[in-house]
Amino acid sequence: MPPNTTATTGDKPGKSGRKKGRKARLVVLVLVLAIIGGIAYGAYWSISTVRASFPQTKGSITLDGLSGPVDVKRDGNGIPQIYASSDADLFMAQGYVQAQDRFYEMDVRRHMTSGRLSEMFGKGQVKNDEFLRTLGWDRVAKKEYDTKLSASTKKYLQAYAKGVNAYLQGKDGKDISLEYAALGFTNDYKPSQWTPVDSVSWLKAMAWDLRGNMQDEIDRALMTSRLGPKQIADLYPDYPYSRNKAIVQEGQYNALTKTFEQNGGTSGSGTSTSGTAGTSSTSTGSALQSQLSGLYNVLDDVPTAVGVNGQGIGSNSWVVAGSHTITGHPLLANDPHLSASLPSVWYQMGLHCRTVSSKCQYDVTGYTFAGMPGVVIGHNQDIAWGMTNSGVDVTDLYLEKLSGDGYLYDGTVKPLTTREETIKVAGGSAKKIIVRQTADGMPLLSDRDDELVKVGKKATVDTAAPDRGDGYGIALRWTALDPGTSMDAVFAMDRASNWSGFRSAAKLFDVPSQNLVYADRTNIGYTLPGKIPTRAKKADGSIPAPGWDSGYKWTGYIPQDALPYEYNPKRGYIVTANQAVVDPDKYPYTLTTDWGYGTRSQRITDLIESKIKGGGKVSTDDMRQMQLDNSSEIAKLLVPKLLKIDIKDKDVRQAQELLEGWDYTQDADSAAAAYFNAVWRNVLKLAFGNKLPKELRVEGQCLWVDPVSSTGPADDTNKVRECGQRDADQAQPDGGDRWFEVVRTLMNDQKSDWWTTPKSLTRPGANDNRDDLFARAMIDARWELTAKLGKDIDTWSWGRLHRLFLKNQTLGTDGPAFVKYILNRGPWKLSGGEATVNATGWNAAGGYGVVWVPSMRMVVNLGDLDKSKWINLTGASGHAYSAHYTDQTSKWVKGELLDWSFTDKAVDQGTSDTLVLKP
């Protein structure tokens, strides 16, 4: 046994271990033949190799550093509830238990956030590490730990790290996880000690993937190579405030306005919400075009943390007041939409002080991240809370005019600061890079790509920009690059007992900015926290800006007391689903120009109102059913138009008939949903996708198009072959609710240029007007599904197209085939779809496969916390052959929820295994 860690009594891994053993026999007597990093190897993986890392869940273990015994009670799904008598013991035990289940995941995450993936996976990760070192997440996290976080938070982080390290003590890689056994064939990597900064850094990764409109900034600027300002405005329509309600409808607007006026009455932002694409293009010219094209390639390779590189991410959360519920107390639902990962990004657990006091202050349960102490989303004994991404604009890209060792700013050359970073590479030589930053801390992202550096030196610019000189670079301004207090906020929310305490805690949650919904036994509320910038008058944050002009700089941050909130609104419910936070006519600050368009939020609102306006009361199961709503809002708009089109081909007509009488519900077994989504995909391709620049289209998809330098109307002569450059999961048009709104605004204009298509871009019949294009889309969809699903439409189903694969985020993605087989799971056929409440997202430009999902679902019953419900995408364990690796997935697919015990009595009744950690 490891020194200072003694196991007594009990078996390893307990009663459920026999089931694990049976699963492990699947890999007995297998010869592993694979190539990793060019090195051929073979290995015999036995039961002992697979089971070596399974956690002990029964009996007792002695841990140095505990002040008293700690009970770890696991239910039938392996979800732990921890009971301790001091805060330090509670968080030390949390670190130990999470490391038991998920240490490999934790280790990969910290290497990602610190730009050290090459130390684990070799030279293939050097480029990623260069970019992540340039961002400097771990450096910012260390500054937070050293200068911003409270003394109590530091103690909790230290206790957590102590628990993780107690688990690691004396263990080899194969004793920790199967993945380390696989890595052992290529390098001699050994995990190092966990530090408090490792935990803080993960908040930076979360902030990166929830960073707001940076992708829209890039896309709008790239569009200017082929589209004019009016065309780009068509593709970014105004938010439909009259149809899809903002979150805050009954807020304290007078007080907010007063605060605004006291701060000088300058919002720091422009007023444009759509036609912004050409705002600064005259200042940046082709230098920006070329730089952004290369920058996207760098961004696209960055490992996904909790989202799909910030694009398309959403979430649902809503709360209903007790006056409208069966229990007479509030109900709160939440389901964040994130990339599908294995294991799930979330880790379920409870943290309980045996007696809540000043010595031990926590009695909280919910979802957290493996590698981070506390609970991020959930409830304690008094309150519950949920989160959705607010989407506020906290990132800006600047085109910088470089001059020698400096950059131009208001006619003066300012020096760039530099630092040297050394990247260690498993099996190879270390690499040194220089990171350059502007005076206000903006890193030059363009330094991370040799082609970008060349472009910056050679790119042509127009007369509004400075002379080229030494070239151009792209710098990033982002709130998360400044030290903050979000880690303090996690613990403060876990302790909060009422609305006032929760609001105070939320003010500490500066990055990423989240919509927070709240409930206690008698009240509901919403608040928007976050560090949200104000900008000088020339800027609105919608596209990259000229860094040499101070008219585009950040001028400060919106005061926390001026951020929107709502408490006990008369309507009796609050819905947040990434829609606009507040009507801009009623609020003096610009939060962003790129909200989600409110399709999901309005559908949730309609479902709630249909229940309560009919005199009904909302139950816990009603909230669950709302989370599973598969209704397609774009189908409601398009299908009546599609059914009016006269289709001559009998096979296409047969497919068209699927839409007759369809209720617009996208169930996995629906043939109509399969056909409609194929039509929608082809409408988008014909009307918009084929007209976008190559930088936004799917990699490898090639078209004959007019040269960029061409002037005058498009024709079918002098074409050039141009191939897409973007990953299929990130390409445009992605088919989300922005595209719903684009089509809605163009629907009544039969002769819009968007409905006309040069003959070279399609087969005959889609180049005259809207209905011709729709007819062509129905034809193309019929034959696309014939190729994918067969000619017999009776065998079609949405789930056959719309499948979920769960992949281990490292070796399950890039490892040898046999390792992928061991680590990955799926597929599952899913219901739901894009911009649907049951948001199983797919990218219409790239295909029908599931890209992001409701990463967990929960419904909190404030009338009886033990009647709350929850589910995770995968399971508690990160061990590939554990019984709890994906034991929740099948239930998740069906829309089922697990019982969520909270009180001592309920937890004891559901406990399968108990482990005692002894001092």
Side-chain angles (χ1 to χ4, degrees):
M1 298 299 297
N4 303 316
T5 306
T6 306
T8 62
T9 67
D11 51 333
K12 181 178 184 286
K15 182 178 179 181
S16 63
R18 290 189 292 274
K19 294 181 180 178
K20 300 171 187 175
R22 286 195 294 270
K23 290 188 176 184
R25 292 186 184 100
L26 294 171
V27 294
V28 175
L29 304 178
V30 175
L31 181 65
V32 180
L33 295 173
I35 297 176
I36 298 180
I39 302 174
Y41 66 87
Y44 174 82
W45 283 16
S46 65
I47 291 177
S48 60
T49 304
V50 173
R51 298 184 65 188
S53 57
F54 286 0
Q56 179 179 338
T57 59
K58 285 186 175 182
S60 63
I61 296 175
T62 299
L63 297 184
D64 282 351
L66 289 175
S67 63
V70 177
D71 296 327
V72 182
K73 302 178 181 182
R74 291 179 184 261
D75 66 11
N77 291 100
I79 299 170
Q81 304 281 343
I82 300 176
Y83 291 83
S85 298
S86 73
D87 290 340
D89 285 354
L90 190 65
F91 294 117
M92 182 177 176
Q94 184 182 14
Y96 186 88
V97 170
Q98 286 192 345
Q100 280 188 306
D101 285 336
R102 300 271 194 99
F103 182 76
Y104 177 77
E105 173 194 3
M106 293 162 57
D107 198 17
V108 171
R109 283 180 175 178
R110 68 167 166 174
H111 278 77
M112 181 186 71
T113 58
S114 59
R116 294 167 46 224
L117 288 168
S118 300
E119 294 178 16
M120 295 184 75
F121 304 110
K123 62 182 181 180
Q125 294 298 321
V126 169
K127 283 291 186 182
N128 286 331
D129 284 347
E130 290 179 7
F131 185 76
L132 293 165
R133 293 286 183 97
T134 300
L135 290 175
W137 290 343
D138 62 329
R139 297 172 61 86
V140 180
K142 188 173 189 313
K143 287 181 183 177
E144 284 187 5
Y145 182 80
D146 291 341
T147 65
K148 289 288 187 178
L149 299 182
S150 67
S152 61
T153 293
K154 290 181 181 180
K155 289 179 181 178
Y156 301 154
L157 290 165
Q158 291 163 3
Y160 181 89
K162 196 174 185 180
V164 175
N165 293 328
Y167 169 77
L168 293 177
Q169 193 168 13
K171 288 184 172 65
D172 292 327
K174 63 181 176 56
D175 301 321
I176 298 172
S177 83
L178 194 61
E179 290 93 332
Y180 288 121
L183 281 178
F185 292 116
T186 61
N187 62 60
D188 58 355
Y189 172 80
K190 297 186 186 306
S192 60
Q193 294 281 290
W194 192 264
T195 73
V197 174
D198 292 334
S199 295
V200 179
S201 294
W202 180 241
L203 286 173
K204 299 303 174 187
M206 186 175 82
W208 176 253
D209 282 328
L210 302 174
R211 63 191 179 269
N213 75 335
M214 181 172 158
Q215 192 61 61
D216 287 314
E217 286 189 46
I218 293 173
D219 287 357
R220 271 191 291 259
L222 290 174
M223 285 179 185
T224 60
S225 68
R226 288 217 167 268
L227 304 176
K230 173 61 171 65
Q231 292 171 306
I232 297 173
D234 286 345
L235 303 186
Y236 287 89
D238 290 338
Y239 184 91
Y241 288 96
S242 61
R243 188 174 68 254
N244 297 340
K245 302 299 182 184
I247 297 171
V248 176
Q249 301 171 39
E250 303 172 34
Q252 303 288 324
Y253 296 121
N254 291 336
L256 293 174
T257 302
K258 183 177 180 181
T259 303
F260 168 65
E261 291 169 348
Q262 289 171 346
N263 281 275
T266 301
S267 71
S269 294
T271 58
S272 174
T273 59
S274 59
T276 55
T279 302
S280 65
S281 61
T282 56
S283 306
T284 57
S286 63
L288 179 61
Q289 286 289 319
S290 302
Q291 289 276 334
L292 288 177
S293 177
L295 174 60
Y296 180 82
N297 293 331
V298 177
L299 294 175
D300 193 37
D301 287 336
V302 175
T304 299
V306 297
V308 189
N309 287 334
Q311 188 172 350
I313 301 304
S315 299
N316 302 323
S317 188
W318 67 94
V319 60
V320 180
S323 58
H324 297 312
T325 69
I326 288 175
T327 66
H329 299 282
L331 295 170
L332 185 149
N334 196 189
D335 56 287
H337 308 154
L338 303 171
S339 283
S341 61
L342 183 61
S344 167
V345 70
W346 298 110
Y347 186 92
Q348 298 156 284
M349 70 188 318
L351 302 171
H352 308 278
C353 290
R354 294 190 177 96
T355 301
V356 177
S357 65
S358 58
K359 179 183 177 183
C360 197
Q361 305 173 70
Y362 297 89
D363 190 14
V364 61
T365 180
Y367 298 84
T368 187
F369 303 121
M372 205 178 89
V375 167
V376 176
I377 294 174
H379 72 81
N380 59 28
Q381 68 272 34
D382 297 308
I383 71 168
W385 65 96
M387 295 185 187
T388 64
N389 190 24
S390 71
V392 298
D393 188 358
V394 296
T395 60
D396 278 345
L397 292 170
Y398 288 90
L399 185 69
E400 301 291 349
K401 164 63 181 66
L402 305 179
S403 180
D405 295 327
Y407 64 101
L408 191 67
Y409 187 78
D410 280 353
T412 301
V413 176
K414 288 192 170 186
L416 290 162
T417 62
T418 62
R419 69 174 188 272
E420 185 178 85
E421 296 274 353
T422 300
I423 298 171
K424 297 178 181 178
V425 182
S429 301
K431 181 176 181 179
K432 295 184 184 294
I433 63 169
I434 300 297
V435 176
R436 298 191 294 175
Q437 294 185 165
T438 65
D440 48 5
M442 293 194 296
L444 281 179
L445 304 186
S446 49
D447 281 358
R448 299 287 66 87
D449 186 275
D450 293 340
E451 287 302 312
L452 291 182
V453 174
K454 293 177 184 176
V455 167
K457 289 182 176 180
K458 298 180 179 180
T460 58
V461 295
D462 50 42
T463 56
D467 291 337
R468 184 174 64 245
D470 293 328
Y472 288 83
I474 290 181
L476 171 68
R477 186 75 194 267
W478 178 33
T479 54
L481 296 182
D482 299 324
T485 55
S486 293
M487 200 71 240
D488 282 341
V490 171
F491 297 112
M493 286 191 289
D494 288 353
R495 294 190 304 266
S497 60
N498 53 39
W499 171 245
S500 176
F502 182 75
R503 282 264 290 165
S504 296
K507 290 180 180 180
L508 299 170
F509 203 91
D510 44 18
V511 176
S513 176
Q514 297 287 285
N515 296 311
L516 298 180
V517 293
Y518 164 95
D520 56 38
R521 283 182 58 83
T522 56
N523 305 291
I524 64 172
Y526 161 86
T527 190
L528 174 70
K531 193 174 182 182
I532 303 171
T534 56
R535 296 170 174 84
K537 292 183 178 180
K538 290 184 180 180
D540 67 0
S542 64
I543 62 171
W548 52 83
D549 186 343
S550 62
Y552 294 88
K553 70 177 182 179
W554 288 10
T555 58
Y557 301 94
I558 299 175
Q560 288 291 307
D561 290 339
L563 290 173
Y565 72 94
E566 198 165 58
Y567 188 59
N568 288 331
K570 293 178 182 178
R571 64 186 181 278
Y573 61 86
I574 302 170
V575 175
T576 83
N578 317 114
Q579 79 271 38
V581 169
V582 63
D583 190 322
D585 292 338
K586 301 176 181 178
Y587 188 68
Y589 294 95
T590 297
L591 298 172
T592 186
T593 61
D594 290 298
W595 301 115
Y597 280 78
T599 303
R600 281 179 288 108
S601 62
Q602 195 56 44
R603 176 62 179 172
I604 296 167
T605 297
D606 292 344
L607 291 170
I608 295 171
E609 289 189 345
S610 68
K611 185 77 174 181
I612 63 180
K613 287 185 177 179
K617 297 286 187 178
V618 179
S619 69
T620 300
D621 197 58
D622 288 331
M623 301 284 273
R624 180 188 71 88
Q625 293 286 357
M626 292 176 193
Q627 289 178 326
L628 302 178
D629 183 78
N630 292 321
S631 177
S632 170
E633 298 303 300
I634 190 61
K636 294 176 184 177
L637 177 69
L638 283 186
V639 167
K641 307 291 186 185
L642 297 176
L643 290 175
K644 291 180 180 179
I645 296 174
D646 184 18
I647 297 293
K648 305 298 184 184
D649 186 304
K650 64 180 180 61
D651 292 314
V652 181
R653 172 61 187 153
Q654 184 186 28
Q656 185 186 33
E657 289 173 350
L658 290 172
L659 305 179
E660 295 177 357
W662 178 44
D663 64 358
Y664 312 120
T665 299
Q666 301 172 101
D667 294 330
D669 61 359
S670 171
Y675 182 59
F676 172 76
N677 282 316
V679 174
W680 171 236
R681 167 173 150 83
N682 280 278
V683 166
L684 292 172
K685 178 182 178 181
L686 293 170
F688 309 105
N690 290 344
K691 300 167 188 174
L692 295 177
K694 62 182 183 295
E695 292 86 358
L696 274 67
R697 299 200 314 270
V698 175
E699 183 177 5
Q701 291 185 1
C702 302
L703 299 170
W704 289 94
V705 300
D706 293 309
V708 172
S709 60
S710 175
T711 59
D715 59 37
D716 296 313
T717 60
N718 301 319
K719 299 292 183 181
V720 296
R721 190 168 185 265
E722 213 174 62
C723 297
Q725 299 179 349
R726 187 164 288 190
D727 183 85
D729 290 347
Q730 299 285 298
Q732 292 293 337
D734 61 19
D737 67 351
R738 172 164 68 88
W739 293 98
F740 290 14
E741 196 64 23
V742 169
V743 170
R744 185 187 299 274
T745 57
L746 296 171
M747 185 62 73
N748 294 326
D749 184 2
Q750 276 267 12
K751 292 292 187 178
S752 168
D753 288 342
W754 292 108
W755 304 130
T756 62
T757 305
K759 292 178 182 178
S760 61
L761 297 185
T762 186
R763 286 176 289 176
N767 60 328
D768 293 324
N769 56 52
R770 184 199 71 190
D771 285 351
D772 286 347
L773 186 141
F774 284 3
R776 183 75 253 172
M778 284 194 285
I779 294 168
D780 290 352
R782 174 36 158 142
W783 301 118
E784 181 186 359
L785 294 198
T786 297
K788 293 179 182 295
L789 303 179
K791 187 174 181 179
D792 183 359
I793 65 172
D794 291 336
T795 67
W796 290 2
S797 71
W798 177 224
R800 287 180 63 195
L801 291 171
H802 194 53
R803 298 187 300 168
L804 170 66
F805 291 85
L806 292 175
K807 296 182 179 180
N808 178 286
Q809 293 300 292
T810 55
L811 299 180
T813 302
D814 295 319
F818 181 76
V819 174
K820 290 180 182 179
Y821 176 79
I822 289 175
L823 298 177
N824 297 341
R825 299 293 183 271
W828 287 269
K829 299 175 182 178
L830 297 193
S831 302
E834 183 61 46
T836 301
V837 180
N838 184 19
T840 55
W842 57 286
N843 186 299
Y848 303 97
V850 176
V851 179
W852 59 84
V853 294
S855 56
M856 62 80 157
R857 298 186 183 103
M858 75 176 197
V859 179
V860 183
N861 184 331
L862 276 298
D864 185 345
L865 292 171
D866 286 332
K867 291 183 179 177
S868 300
K869 303 285 185 178
W870 64 350
I871 196 80
N872 205 352
L873 173 63
T874 59
S877 179
H879 300 288
Y881 284 91
S882 164
H884 306 306
Y885 191 48
T886 56
D887 57 333
Q888 297 184 51
T889 306
S890 293
K891 292 181 174 65
W892 176 92
V893 170
K894 296 174 185 175
E896 298 175 9
L897 298 176
L898 303 176
D899 291 335
W900 185 358
S901 299
F902 178 69
T903 65
D904 293 351
K905 180 180 178 181
V907 169
D908 286 342
Q909 288 176 343
T911 295
S912 295
D913 294 351
T914 299
L915 174 69
V916 179
L917 303 178
K918 294 182 176 181

